[in-house]
Amino acid sequence: MLKEISPPLADIRDVLVGTAVEDEREDGSWAIGYGLTLAKAAGAHLTVQSASWRLSGDDAWLGDFDYEGVAIIDRRLDALARSIADRSAGDAAQAGVVCTTEAPSLPYPDIVSRLAARARLHDLTVLDIGLRTYDLDREMIEKALFHSGRPVIAVPPEHDAFAARRIIVAWDGSAQAARAVNDALPFLRAAEAVEIVSVGEEAESDDAVPGAEFAPHLARHGVSVSVNDLPRGESVAATLRTQAGLFRADMIVMGAYRHSPVREYFFGGVTRSFLRGSPAPLFLAH
């Protein structure tokens, strides 16, 4: 008797979406819509953690600030976070997705630590790419990547619906890239087209695996894959962005932070560049 073949996304059973309300002018979260539609496509359970950044408590930088005023702000942010959680639960129910919501009110460091700990209990975590140069969203992405052992999908603005028909794999031959591709296999197998893109002399180590050697491995997993070696151009990040547009990529898979975040901060890096702005959602693993 032949074994029944499972749908490509059947291995994804738990999806976590993390959001953090920092002020009352907070923009909407694209990650919630993306995570909801991903959970529906996979038939997965959805958990939404809608946290608010509590200013009172142990935040020593507040000094002699008006604590009564701070308490009022805390209550407003908490109410906003709870309304986001409630709205997410309602949208999930309408879509037929089983959803659990949490709305913790926590000081800044505890928000990212709690998110990373919760991410370990899920197959993947969906987070927003923030619009600011440095913000809580980026801190949550980095913490989840380095401390959860799970992949992260980082969603840029205006991408509030899951799609993975056409996927680019940003390949530099590193262990981080190999890990990302392995974690992304359910999406790669389900895609109509996957392109491995290698840029210039990006691979720095002698043991880096060329994309042409890695492609047969993906083909054996049922991935429709091609290889595209490109000259470096202005920069690796700029070349990848251009190719993602030409390929009409719905998702970009990449190994995150081949160098440390500190080095990327001072010297630049592909991961940090894409977290400042990406043409498509990023599937990241470290």
Side-chain angles (χ1 to χ4, degrees):
M1 181 176 177
L2 292 176
K3 183 179 179 181
E4 183 178 350
I5 299 176
S6 300
L9 300 183
D11 290 340
I12 300 173
R13 309 311 306 146
D14 279 301
V15 176
L16 172 65
V17 176
T19 68
V21 177
E22 299 179 58
D23 60 58
E24 294 179 87
R25 301 183 302 277
E26 195 72 25
D27 296 321
S29 169
W30 308 106
I32 293 177
Y34 189 96
L36 172 57
T37 50
L38 168 56
K40 182 175 178 61
H45 182 277
L46 175 68
T47 300
V48 176
Q49 178 180 301
S50 175
S52 60
W53 182 356
R54 191 175 70 223
L55 299 178
S56 59
D58 297 329
D59 290 320
W61 60 270
L62 285 170
D64 296 326
F65 197 67
D66 180 359
Y67 278 96
E68 183 177 350
V70 168
I72 293 172
I73 294 173
D74 283 345
R75 289 195 293 271
R76 288 175 176 170
L77 296 183
D78 181 55
L80 179 55
R82 291 182 183 279
S83 71
I84 292 171
D86 292 343
R87 186 165 62 250
S88 300
D91 291 343
Q94 278 195 324
V97 173
V98 179
C99 178
T100 302
T101 62
E102 306 169 353
S105 176
L106 298 167
Y108 170 78
D110 294 340
I111 289 179
V112 291
S113 295
R114 178 187 173 95
L115 187 280
R118 297 291 288 152
R120 296 170 196 154
L121 309 178
H122 295 76
D123 294 312
L124 57 85
T125 300
V126 183
L127 299 169
D128 286 295
I129 294 177
L131 296 174
R132 293 176 283 272
T133 301
Y134 184 84
D135 55 21
L136 191 51
D137 292 326
R138 189 165 296 112
E139 180 76 8
M140 289 169 66
I141 291 170
E142 293 179 355
K143 190 84 169 186
L145 283 170
F146 279 90
H147 296 278
S148 75
R150 301 288 190 170
V152 167
I153 297 181
V155 182
E158 309 298 335
H159 290 268
D160 61 348
F162 165 72
R165 295 178 300 274
R166 301 178 64 81
I167 301 176
I168 275 185
V169 173
W171 182 254
D172 61 6
S174 67
Q176 289 88 345
R179 172 68 181 271
V181 173
N182 183 74
D183 288 348
L185 272 175
F187 300 103
L188 299 177
R189 283 194 291 259
E192 296 173 1
V194 174
E195 184 175 73
I196 297 175
V197 178
S198 297
V199 179
E201 301 297 326
E202 187 182 7
E204 295 177 355
S205 62
D206 293 335
D207 60 352
V209 179
E213 292 186 14
F214 190 67
H217 168 70
L218 291 183
R220 294 183 192 109
H221 277 277
V223 178
S224 177
V225 63
S226 60
V227 179
N228 192 355
D229 294 319
L230 297 173
R232 183 184 181 95
E234 176 187 345
S235 69
V236 173
T239 301
L240 284 173
R241 279 196 187 89
T242 299
Q243 185 58 24
L246 293 173
F247 190 70
R248 304 191 311 280
D250 299 308
M251 178 185 287
I252 301 170
V253 175
M254 65 169 59
Y257 294 111
R258 188 178 65 185
H259 305 300
S260 72
V262 173
R263 180 178 173 184
E264 290 218 358
Y265 179 81
F266 286 105
F267 298 102
V270 176
T271 309
R272 181 162 288 273
S273 176
F274 270 81
L275 289 179
R276 291 194 184 105
S278 176
L282 302 172
F283 185 100
L284 303 170
H286 178 76

